[in-house]
Amino acid sequence: MSGRVTAVSSNGEYSFTKPNRDSVRLLAGLGVEGDVHAGVTVRHRSRVAQNPTLPNLRQVHLIHEELFAEVGAEGFKVAPGELGENITTRGIDLLGLPVGTLLRIGDSAVLEVTGLRNPCLQIDNFQDGLLKQVVGRNEAGNVVRKAGIMSIVREGGMVRPGDTIEVELPRGPHRPLDRV
């Protein structure tokens, strides 16, 4: 399974959206160089308030570009970086990947998938009603989160729009993604 990077984004300050860049550098064990969420321990404000010593399992946020078309059909206009992701992808079912999947991006970068992004109220502050489009319930009543996945950087490297993403599934029984 493979796909492509369609955009890369980062921001050195806390804000909901992240400006698109020509490239980002992933730093092993840290995240996106210069991004406010890079670090060994948690960086998201809500997580820091709970326990600032926990490991940062949310170093790099990825969203599938196909989500933008899905919410667009409901009248919402969303572009890469606007939901706070670092890497926007095309051609990979990110939400269907198991925990521990490796994403080999470009020449040398490797991400390990840790879980699902837990959408928050900031999404409605960005566009009223959008939160209901990216988190809901399926027919069985289970919560479905569509706002992308989180990962940690196993191997650093430059990532640019157009880079290929190769998916390497983990061995053994696969554990479905849950919020991190």
Side-chain angles (χ1 to χ4, degrees):
M1 181 180 349
S2 67
R4 291 226 174 264
V5 173
T6 60
V8 295
S9 310
S10 67
N11 198 340
E13 300 177 11
Y14 283 105
S15 70
F16 183 68
T17 62
K18 295 186 181 208
N20 294 155
R21 310 287 182 192
D22 293 332
S23 64
V24 293
R25 180 183 305 278
L26 301 183
L27 303 173
L30 294 174
V32 177
E33 182 177 51
D35 192 81
V36 71
H37 294 114
V40 174
T41 57
V42 292
R43 292 291 188 255
H44 287 77
R45 288 189 236 191
S46 63
R47 306 297 165 110
V48 170
Q50 291 173 0
N51 183 348
T53 65
L54 292 175
N56 187 1
L57 301 178
R58 300 164 56 101
Q59 293 174 356
V60 180
H61 175 202
L62 298 93
I63 284 185
H64 51 296
E65 186 177 70
E66 292 85 352
L67 177 66
F68 304 154
E70 184 181 326
V71 299
E74 299 299 322
F76 297 92
K77 184 170 177 7
V78 180
E82 289 186 334
L83 293 181
E85 77 276 12
N86 299 111
I87 299 175
T88 310
T89 70
R90 182 182 321 132
I92 298 174
D93 177 13
L94 295 178
L95 305 177
L97 298 174
V99 172
T101 297
L102 298 180
L103 301 175
R104 298 183 181 281
I105 306 175
D107 294 332
S108 61
V110 179
L111 298 176
E112 180 180 333
V113 176
T114 56
L116 295 169
R117 174 190 185 184
N118 193 30
C120 65
L121 288 175
Q122 288 185 38
I123 293 176
D124 267 350
N125 293 337
F126 171 66
Q127 286 185 42
D128 189 42
L130 184 57
L131 181 60
K132 287 182 181 178
Q133 300 300 313
V134 298
V135 66
R137 294 196 179 272
N138 63 16
E139 300 79 34
N142 300 314
V143 174
V144 176
R145 294 173 178 86
K146 300 182 197 177
I149 63 171
M150 306 308 283
S151 64
I152 57 175
V153 182
R154 287 292 179 206
E155 295 179 30
M158 296 300 291
V159 177
R160 297 172 182 85
D163 281 350
T164 300
I165 305 169
E166 295 296 329
V167 176
E168 184 179 323
L169 297 174
R171 292 182 182 194
H174 292 168
R175 194 166 40 114
L177 297 178
D178 198 1
R179 66 187 178 105
V180 293

